[in-house]
Amino acid sequence: MAAGLRLDEIVASLGGVLQGDGALVVSRVGTLQSAQPGDIAFLANPKYRSQLQTTQASAVIVPPQFAADTQLPRIVHRNSYAYYARVVALLNPPAARRPGVHRGAVVHSPVPASASIGENVVVGRGVHLGENVTLQPGCVIGDGASIGDDSLLHPNVVVYDRCVIGRRAIIHSGAVIGSDGFGFAKDGDRWIKIPQIGRVVVGDDVEIGANTSIDRGALDDTLVADGVKLDNQIQIGHNCSIGENAAMAGCVGIAGSTRIGRRCTIGGAGMISGHLELGDDVHISGGTLVARSLIRPGQYTGVFPLDEHAEWLHNAAQLRRLSRLVERVAELEKKIKLMEIKS
Amino acid sequence: MAAGLRLDEIVASLGGVLQGDGALVVSRVGTLQSAQPGDIAFLANPKYRSQLQTTQASAVIVPPQFAADTQLPRIVHRNSYAYYARVVALLNPPAARRPGVHRGAVVHSPVPASASIGENVVVGRGVHLGENVTLQPGCVIGDGASIGDDSLLHPNVVVYDRCVIGRRAIIHSGAVIGSDGFGFAKDGDRWIKIPQIGRVVVGDDVEIGANTSIDRGALDDTLVADGVKLDNQIQIGHNCSIGENAAMAGCVGIAGSTRIGRRCTIGGAGMISGHLELGDDVHISGGTLVARSLIRPGQYTGVFPLDEHAEWLHNAAQLRRLSRLVERVAELEKKIKLMEIKS
Amino acid sequence: MAAGLRLDEIVASLGGVLQGDGALVVSRVGTLQSAQPGDIAFLANPKYRSQLQTTQASAVIVPPQFAADTQLPRIVHRNSYAYYARVVALLNPPAARRPGVHRGAVVHSPVPASASIGENVVVGRGVHLGENVTLQPGCVIGDGASIGDDSLLHPNVVVYDRCVIGRRAIIHSGAVIGSDGFGFAKDGDRWIKIPQIGRVVVGDDVEIGANTSIDRGALDDTLVADGVKLDNQIQIGHNCSIGENAAMAGCVGIAGSTRIGRRCTIGGAGMISGHLELGDDVHISGGTLVARSLIRPGQYTGVFPLDEHAEWLHNAAQLRRLSRLVERVAELEKKIKLMEIKS
């Protein structure tokens, strides 16, 4: 844990307005409810406003409209949640990097002195490694690939040849960037492989989760724009294009050649079919399968509502006769209309 | 394959009541239907009771209520299925461990003489390794992590720093324990990373499947209790808590901060949203998305029933007009009521 | 990129009928729409027929019925899409293999001189490696496993002991073949592991995607027949049998002991429950959960139709009362029938 920082040191680093004792030292961040003395807590959701009265925290981060709600030493900032994120980073600096190439690594390309290349890493021929790149043990970087400045690859990440990773990437263990897209032509009963000769090109400030895979393009490239955040166990098919600052939760799948707009979010296990377009600011609920393009911004959902199993059985059975039910209702309407006319 | 064991040797090891020739040697376990002479079969599901008459097995494991159904040499035990599991283990002991540190491993922490550390394993600084730990080739154990006695990590498992694995764990290849949780604060269009400083703490007797990932907590820890069994391709989000002896089939996803009770089971591809609570003994059917807390024990389901595509098209189209259909039925009811009153 | 090939060289290699200037050199393949001068394009889908008039391509591949639609030099072939796949392969030969065993590999079995064993590969005892096998860095092959001629394993693939991979396999990074099936017997509250002593046996010409996992059988083997194509992030449970030339898109899960017929296709995120049978030529739409056997060929679907979230809320709420709605309609029908009789 960190040794702690004074509130006025935090404000000097991160901005915001200090109210109260700037000499107060905090060493940890907590929620209003869980924080202990010595901690700094934050109010981001107005729903928890009343906890400002009861928190054990020694200081708080609050947005201006709630600054008067507490007598605690406080930092006032418009976006208290983002401020909290930055304070956590400030109080918990990453472990010191160890520049240099471990003797167990096998490196076939030039390495900047600032790079840190761990045990058993393999770097192919013609690879470009930026300044301060960290490749943790077991990473494999294919021939002709490129990793931008300040990027961090956790253990056992694979980047296939010619793929491009931008600056400040964070890629978690088991992620695979640049595997072949799933492309086959039918010839009689058999499948003929279509060689996948495109690349994956990943922009700056992208995070890619554990065991996520991104396929290389068939002829053109698969594109992941700046600022995209991908959680674990995600699959991105060949020739997809993911717009700036889009974010996807775990277990999402995007089939080939689909374009995802800027700032889109896709909830866990959302699945997007191939050759579709999602416009900017489209949000897909978790567990939803998207089988048509969605241009208009908004939240979209398609999930079977959960029920006790016995109830579900009853309703699901009827669902397969829904079309017939609609016909029955239409017949009733016709008959009633007739009776009304008669009477 | 095993050299075989006498029935009385099995009973001496595992208990149960022997009926018939204890000197009979069996060398393999099979189902009643597939077993050959020399095999021991088992009856666990009463549905297969009649197969006791036709099985080619040389011996059987049966529960007491069916012991009189067969003349074969038999072992009678209340839980014939668990007994079967133990007989398979007895007849198929694991390959001999090779204690010692392979010269190709890179180990920065003390290793007990009983541990087996394979080729290209990397063990960081300040790691605690228990007795009889086996780390197969390519595993990477981060600084400050801990692996309990008798645990087995198959090739290419990654345990991030400070994470804790209990005793007798079995972790399959490609599993990732302790990757960063998916935590970001929005700042304008961009996402600010919230450093994930919690750990993953895994209890005793836990099995974790191939390519499964478990994220570390944001501030607190992600917890996996004793006896939990996780299949392949599972995603556990940050700050989740999985109760004792819970079991999850392949492709399940649990979003962040959700609590799963003891003995819960989640069928394949079940998805649980974040910040929910599932009480003890809640069972979720495969393919079901859970978007609200479920406290009461029971089986819950929410799956669109499959149909031939053309039929599905008809019914699914109506589903989007279901609300309108309900209104139409209500109107009909009102009209009929009126007619009944009039007549 | 390739130096290019003359059309008559292509036809000499791949067959088809040449119409026009055989000396024309093409160096890349493109779609009719994206192709540039120097490229060869293809018409596979009649929907794009009109693009034959506007394409910038220097040559095209066309089926006989559309050969007269263009004046461009062309190759006429019945299956223009499979032909396109083969031309891409011809123009983009794989990087030259480097036969030999890298000094950083640890190999406990004989290796044919034609094999290429990369950095940090571990090959166990009693392993059979065929001619021209390529094991890229970080692969781990368990004791007694077998890899057929001409197979290519990308970095960090794990094949557990005794598993069998056929000829000409392509296996992508992070794939795990032969992890334990998910088999446990309940004993009170606890789960007793059932040792998984079967194998995975994979036929010839199989491709397996990144981070896909295939579990070994409990007693018998898990079988993947010749020509099967599996995309990324797929989970195949123990004792499954996948028929010849079946294909599955990303994120599919097949639970244990299920049999998939020949030429079946399963769309992305399709999930098949355990102990089922899918007949030959059964096609499952993406996102569909299959909970019963499907013997008859055809396309099957079960997906909740997506809607704007507010609309979905309305309709989904009614869905849980569908059974009651059906009763209400039946009551109305009875009342109307009565009125009709009376009147």
Side-chain angles (χ1 to χ4, degrees):
Chain A
M1 279 304 139
L5 289 169
R6 292 162 51 117
L7 293 188
D8 51 15
E9 290 174 319
I10 294 174
V11 169
S13 283
L14 304 179
V17 173
L18 175 66
Q19 297 183 349
D21 179 11
L24 184 87
V25 172
V26 291
S27 57
R28 296 194 320 172
V29 180
T31 60
L32 286 169
Q33 191 165 24
S34 71
Q36 298 299 313
D39 295 357
I40 183 167
F42 63 98
L43 176 68
N45 186 335
K47 166 166 101 167
Y48 299 120
R49 182 179 176 183
S50 68
Q51 296 181 359
L52 280 175
Q53 309 313 318
T54 55
T55 184
Q56 300 293 306
S58 296
V60 291
I61 307 161
V62 285
Q65 65 270 35
F66 302 120
D69 278 32
T70 178
Q71 297 307 313
L72 289 172
R74 55 202 173 273
I75 298 171
V76 182
H77 192 273
R78 166 189 59 79
N79 188 339
S80 53
Y81 194 56
Y83 200 98
Y84 142 72
R86 293 189 172 102
V87 173
V88 177
L90 208 60
L91 285 170
N92 300 276
R97 297 177 63 252
R98 300 188 191 96
V101 179
H102 190 275
R103 65 186 159 73
V106 183
V107 178
H108 299 293
S109 298
V111 176
S114 61
S116 169
I117 311 294
E119 297 85 344
N120 306 321
V121 166
V122 179
V123 175
R125 290 155 179 82
V127 170
H128 167 78
L129 297 178
E131 296 293 331
N132 300 309
V133 160
T134 302
L135 304 180
Q136 295 196 347
C139 288
V140 181
I141 312 298
D143 294 347
S146 171
I147 315 282
D149 297 346
D150 303 303
S151 286
L152 163 61
L153 276 59
H154 284 276
N156 290 0
V157 167
V158 177
V159 178
Y160 279 54
D161 14 322
R162 295 190 290 117
C163 293
V164 176
I165 309 291
R167 291 171 293 176
R168 296 175 297 279
I170 299 174
I171 308 186
H172 285 281
S173 292
V176 176
I177 314 298
S179 40
D180 283 351
F182 197 62
F184 300 92
K186 199 98 202 219
D187 188 22
D189 280 359
R190 309 188 56 200
W191 299 100
I192 307 297
K193 181 177 176 71
I194 302 171
Q196 304 290 302
I197 61 174
R199 304 171 299 168
V200 175
V201 177
V202 174
D204 295 336
D205 299 300
V206 170
E207 183 157 346
I208 297 174
N211 287 334
T212 280
S213 50
I214 307 178
D215 277 348
R216 65 193 314 122
L219 296 171
D220 302 321
D221 296 329
T222 302
L223 302 173
V224 178
D226 294 348
V228 168
K229 308 297 179 187
L230 303 178
D231 197 358
N232 301 348
Q233 307 275 0
I234 288 175
Q235 153 67 0
I236 308 283
H238 56 178
N239 297 101
C240 286
S241 163
I242 314 295
E244 283 166 34
N245 298 311
M248 305 185 193
C251 307
V252 161
I254 314 285
S257 300
T258 280
R259 301 174 60 84
I260 306 288
R262 282 170 288 193
R263 299 174 300 277
C264 287
T265 61
I266 304 184
M271 292 284 153
I272 321 290
S273 299
H275 297 271
L276 301 183
E277 180 168 0
L278 268 58
D280 296 342
D281 301 297
V282 163
H283 304 287
I284 305 297
S285 301
T288 294
L289 184 131
V290 178
R292 59 182 168 94
S293 290
L294 299 168
I295 303 309
R296 203 153 33 128
Q299 180 85 30
Y300 296 84
T301 307
V303 173
F304 201 105
L306 156 139
D307 214 335
E308 291 180 29
H309 185 73
E311 290 300 308
W312 171 81
L313 272 179
H314 280 133
N315 291 313
Q318 300 302 342
L319 187 54
R320 294 181 57 196
R321 293 191 278 267
L322 182 57
S323 209
R324 177 69 195 112
L325 183 69
V326 172
E327 287 166 20
R328 286 163 63 190
V329 171
E331 284 163 34
L332 285 173
E333 287 171 332
K334 221 184 301 172
K335 286 182 178 178
I336 298 263
K337 179 75 87 188
L338 218 63
M339 288 181 178
E340 287 177 330
I341 292 169
K342 279 192 197 168
S343 70
Chain B
M1 280 303 138
L5 289 168
R6 291 162 51 116
L7 293 188
D8 52 15
E9 291 174 319
I10 294 174
V11 169
S13 282
L14 303 179
V17 174
L18 176 66
Q19 295 183 351
D21 179 11
L24 183 88
V25 171
V26 291
S27 57
R28 297 195 319 172
V29 181
T31 60
L32 286 169
Q33 192 166 22
S34 71
Q36 298 299 312
D39 295 358
I40 183 167
F42 63 98
L43 176 67
N45 186 336
K47 165 165 103 167
Y48 299 120
R49 183 179 175 182
S50 68
Q51 296 181 358
L52 279 175
Q53 310 311 319
T54 54
T55 184
Q56 299 293 306
S58 296
V60 290
I61 307 161
V62 285
Q65 64 272 34
F66 302 120
D69 278 33
T70 178
Q71 296 305 314
L72 289 172
R74 55 201 173 273
I75 298 171
V76 181
H77 192 275
R78 168 188 58 78
N79 188 338
S80 54
Y81 193 57
Y83 200 99
Y84 142 73
R86 294 189 172 103
V87 173
V88 176
L90 209 59
L91 286 170
N92 300 277
R97 298 176 63 252
R98 301 189 190 96
V101 178
H102 190 276
R103 65 186 159 73
V106 182
V107 179
H108 298 295
S109 299
V111 175
S114 61
S116 170
I117 311 296
E119 296 84 345
N120 305 322
V121 166
V122 178
V123 175
R125 290 153 179 83
V127 170
H128 168 78
L129 296 178
E131 296 293 332
N132 301 309
V133 160
T134 302
L135 303 180
Q136 295 196 347
C139 288
V140 180
I141 312 298
D143 295 347
S146 172
I147 315 281
D149 298 345
D150 304 302
S151 286
L152 163 61
L153 276 60
H154 284 276
N156 289 0
V157 167
V158 177
V159 178
Y160 278 54
D161 18 321
R162 295 189 292 116
C163 293
V164 176
I165 309 290
R167 292 172 292 177
R168 295 176 297 280
I170 299 174
I171 308 186
H172 285 282
S173 292
V176 176
I177 314 298
S179 40
D180 283 351
F182 197 63
F184 300 92
K186 200 98 203 220
D187 188 24
D189 280 359
R190 308 188 56 199
W191 299 100
I192 307 298
K193 182 178 177 69
I194 302 171
Q196 305 288 302
I197 60 174
R199 304 171 300 168
V200 175
V201 177
V202 174
D204 295 336
D205 301 299
V206 170
E207 183 157 346
I208 298 174
N211 286 334
T212 280
S213 50
I214 307 180
D215 276 348
R216 66 192 315 122
L219 296 171
D220 302 320
D221 296 329
T222 302
L223 302 172
V224 178
D226 294 349
V228 167
K229 308 298 179 188
L230 303 179
D231 197 357
N232 301 348
Q233 306 276 359
I234 287 174
Q235 153 68 358
I236 309 283
H238 56 176
N239 297 102
C240 285
S241 162
I242 314 295
E244 285 166 32
N245 299 310
M248 305 185 192
C251 307
V252 161
I254 314 284
S257 300
T258 279
R259 302 174 60 84
I260 306 288
R262 283 171 287 194
R263 298 175 300 277
C264 287
T265 61
I266 304 184
M271 292 284 154
I272 321 291
S273 298
H275 297 272
L276 301 183
E277 181 168 358
L278 268 58
D280 296 342
D281 302 297
V282 164
H283 305 286
I284 305 297
S285 301
T288 295
L289 184 132
V290 179
R292 60 183 169 94
S293 289
L294 299 168
I295 303 308
R296 205 155 30 130
Q299 180 86 33
Y300 296 85
T301 307
V303 173
F304 200 104
L306 155 141
D307 213 336
E308 291 179 28
H309 185 74
E311 289 301 309
W312 171 81
L313 271 180
H314 280 134
N315 291 312
Q318 300 302 342
L319 187 53
R320 294 180 57 195
R321 293 192 278 267
L322 182 55
S323 209
R324 177 69 195 113
L325 183 69
V326 172
E327 287 167 18
R328 286 164 62 191
V329 171
E331 285 163 32
L332 285 173
E333 286 171 331
K334 221 185 301 174
K335 287 182 178 178
I336 297 263
K337 180 74 88 189
L338 220 63
M339 289 181 178
E340 285 176 330
I341 292 168
K342 279 192 198 166
S343 70
Chain C
M1 280 301 139
L5 289 169
R6 291 162 51 116
L7 292 188
D8 51 15
E9 291 173 319
I10 294 174
V11 168
S13 283
L14 303 179
V17 173
L18 176 66
Q19 295 182 350
D21 178 11
L24 184 87
V25 172
V26 291
S27 56
R28 296 194 321 171
V29 180
T31 60
L32 285 169
Q33 191 165 21
S34 71
Q36 299 298 315
D39 296 357
I40 182 167
F42 63 99
L43 176 68
N45 186 336
K47 167 166 101 167
Y48 299 120
R49 183 179 175 182
S50 68
Q51 296 181 359
L52 279 175
Q53 309 312 318
T54 54
T55 184
Q56 301 293 306
S58 297
V60 291
I61 307 161
V62 286
Q65 64 271 34
F66 301 121
D69 278 31
T70 178
Q71 297 306 314
L72 289 172
R74 56 201 173 273
I75 299 171
V76 182
H77 191 273
R78 167 189 58 77
N79 188 339
S80 54
Y81 193 56
Y83 200 98
Y84 142 71
R86 294 189 172 102
V87 173
V88 177
L90 207 60
L91 285 171
N92 300 277
R97 297 176 64 253
R98 301 187 190 98
V101 178
H102 190 274
R103 66 188 158 71
V106 183
V107 178
H108 299 295
S109 299
V111 176
S114 61
S116 169
I117 311 295
E119 297 84 346
N120 305 321
V121 166
V122 179
V123 175
R125 291 154 179 83
V127 170
H128 168 78
L129 296 179
E131 295 293 331
N132 301 310
V133 160
T134 302
L135 304 180
Q136 294 196 348
C139 288
V140 180
I141 312 297
D143 295 347
S146 172
I147 315 282
D149 297 346
D150 303 303
S151 286
L152 164 61
L153 276 60
H154 284 277
N156 289 1
V157 168
V158 177
V159 178
Y160 279 54
D161 20 322
R162 295 189 291 116
C163 293
V164 176
I165 309 292
R167 292 172 291 178
R168 296 175 297 280
I170 299 174
I171 309 187
H172 286 281
S173 291
V176 176
I177 314 297
S179 40
D180 284 351
F182 197 62
F184 299 91
K186 199 100 203 218
D187 188 22
D189 280 359
R190 308 188 55 198
W191 299 100
I192 307 298
K193 182 177 176 71
I194 302 171
Q196 304 290 302
I197 61 175
R199 303 171 299 168
V200 175
V201 177
V202 174
D204 295 336
D205 299 301
V206 170
E207 183 156 347
I208 298 174
N211 286 335
T212 280
S213 49
I214 307 179
D215 277 347
R216 65 194 313 123
L219 297 171
D220 302 322
D221 296 330
T222 302
L223 302 172
V224 178
D226 293 349
V228 168
K229 308 297 180 188
L230 303 178
D231 197 357
N232 300 349
Q233 306 275 0
I234 288 175
Q235 153 68 358
I236 309 283
H238 55 176
N239 298 101
C240 285
S241 163
I242 313 296
E244 284 166 33
N245 299 311
M248 305 185 192
C251 307
V252 161
I254 314 284
S257 300
T258 279
R259 301 173 61 83
I260 306 288
R262 283 171 287 194
R263 299 174 300 277
C264 287
T265 60
I266 305 185
M271 292 284 154
I272 321 290
S273 299
H275 297 271
L276 301 183
E277 180 168 0
L278 267 59
D280 295 342
D281 301 298
V282 164
H283 304 288
I284 305 298
S285 300
T288 294
L289 184 131
V290 179
R292 60 183 169 93
S293 289
L294 299 169
I295 302 310
R296 204 155 30 131
Q299 180 85 32
Y300 297 85
T301 307
V303 173
F304 201 104
L306 156 140
D307 213 335
E308 290 179 31
H309 185 73
E311 289 301 308
W312 171 82
L313 271 179
H314 281 134
N315 291 311
Q318 301 302 342
L319 187 53
R320 295 180 57 195
R321 293 192 277 268
L322 182 56
S323 208
R324 177 69 196 112
L325 183 69
V326 172
E327 286 166 20
R328 286 164 62 191
V329 170
E331 285 164 33
L332 286 173
E333 286 171 330
K334 220 185 301 171
K335 286 182 178 179
I336 298 263
K337 178 75 86 186
L338 219 64
M339 289 181 179
E340 285 177 329
I341 291 168
K342 278 192 198 165
S343 70

